[in-house]
Amino acid sequence: MKKDTRLILALDVTSKEHALTLVKELQGYFDAVKIGYPLILSAGLDVVKETSAISPVIADLKVADIPNTNRLICQAVLGAGASGVIAQAFPGKDSLLACKENAADHGADLFVVTEMSHPGAELFMAPLAEKMARLAVEVDATGVVAPATRPNRIRLIRSIIGDRIIISPGVGAQGGSAIAALEAGADYLIVGRSIYGAKRPAESARMLLETLL
Ligand code: BMP
């Protein structure tokens, strides 16, 4: 994944037309697009294929099942053209390894969720985040997802994963600061609503990028 803008566009819109319009309009303002359940369930897997023709796509399916099912999920979305997939660590090492093996078969990236960005993540995920990060290293994941809403947690996770990639959601709509997340060690910011939900998405993306200069 190139690192020109350090921005990953979270494309949580629910129609293929809207999604592709945004991707074309915002080209140059992001390094990759993150597509998850809202768009895939509304528009079908074809949207991954069509978007991948324009930009690298990270499939945010937070894969969290037994190894065989994980493998089938990764196969479907990476086979459709995604160049990366996001998986949950909590189902364990064998489940994550199934994702890693399928990603490797496709020459794709695996990102592992450590601690999520919303307040509820404090209950179960935060106490286990360090273990999740260590597991990401054990399975040789490309990187992890860590919360821009808690820069101190990004710092901690960075200390565990070395120079693997940190992609970080929670900027803007969830209240996290882009600069604080990058200073804490995030490589990329994942940003959705504050760009695609803005009156002028390109203007909003441009302004965000300007604050990072
Ligand atoms: P927004 O900028 O609109 O809050 O979007 C953030 C995106 O990142 C959403 O797609 C959300 O599902 C995802 N995400 C998150 O917000 N926190 C996490 O911990 C992990 C995520 O994947």
Side-chain angles (χ1 to χ4, degrees):
M1 188 161 46
K2 63 184 168 139
K3 206 170 178 183
D4 294 344
T5 64
R6 309 186 77 181
L7 212 64
I8 296 172
L9 176 65
L11 208 47
D12 296 324
V13 297
T14 52
S15 92
K16 185 161 81 176
E17 293 66 34
H18 191 187
L20 291 173
T21 302
L22 282 165
V23 169
K24 287 172 192 160
E25 182 189 340
L26 294 170
Q27 250 185 317
Y29 292 114
F30 58 81
D31 293 327
V33 172
K34 184 179 80 65
I35 296 182
Y37 291 105
L39 182 54
I40 293 175
L41 292 178
S42 312
L45 202 48
D46 240 23
V47 74
V48 171
K49 192 172 170 191
E50 291 187 38
T51 309
S52 299
I54 308 171
S55 155
V57 168
I58 299 173
D60 180 7
L61 297 179
K62 297 196 179 68
V63 187
D65 216 308
I66 61 167
N68 186 58
T69 309
N70 273 8
R71 183 180 57 76
L72 292 169
I73 294 168
C74 291
Q75 174 60 37
V77 82
L78 297 173
S83 60
V85 64
I86 296 176
Q88 292 282 16
F90 60 76
K93 187 172 177 181
D94 49 356
S95 291
L96 266 190
L97 275 174
C99 297
K100 169 66 195 180
E101 281 161 19
N102 199 268
D105 287 347
H106 287 89
D109 295 319
L110 169 66
F111 296 97
V112 176
V113 179
T114 55
E115 173 177 324
M116 294 181 73
S117 57
H118 62 306
E122 307 254 14
L123 183 59
F124 295 124
M125 299 195 89
L128 291 173
E130 291 167 67
K131 271 192 173 171
M132 311 255 207
R134 276 195 288 274
L135 191 56
V137 173
E138 258 184 68
V139 303
D140 193 23
T142 310
V144 301
V145 184
T149 46
R150 294 180 215 100
N152 59 326
R153 305 295 288 172
I154 297 179
R155 221 168 264 119
L156 175 70
I157 287 160
R158 168 62 71 209
S159 75
I160 295 168
I161 66 160
D163 57 8
R164 282 168 215 277
I165 295 174
I166 297 181
I167 60 178
S168 186
V171 167
Q174 296 179 50
S177 147
I179 292 170
L182 292 175
E183 279 178 359
D187 294 289
Y188 296 90
L189 304 170
I190 298 172
V191 183
R193 286 167 287 177
S194 61
I195 295 178
Y196 70 72
K199 245 192 186 141
R200 285 186 288 277
E203 183 65 7
S204 168
R206 193 184 56 74
M207 280 166 54
L208 174 59
L209 291 181
E210 269 179 18
T211 67
L212 308 181
L213 290 177

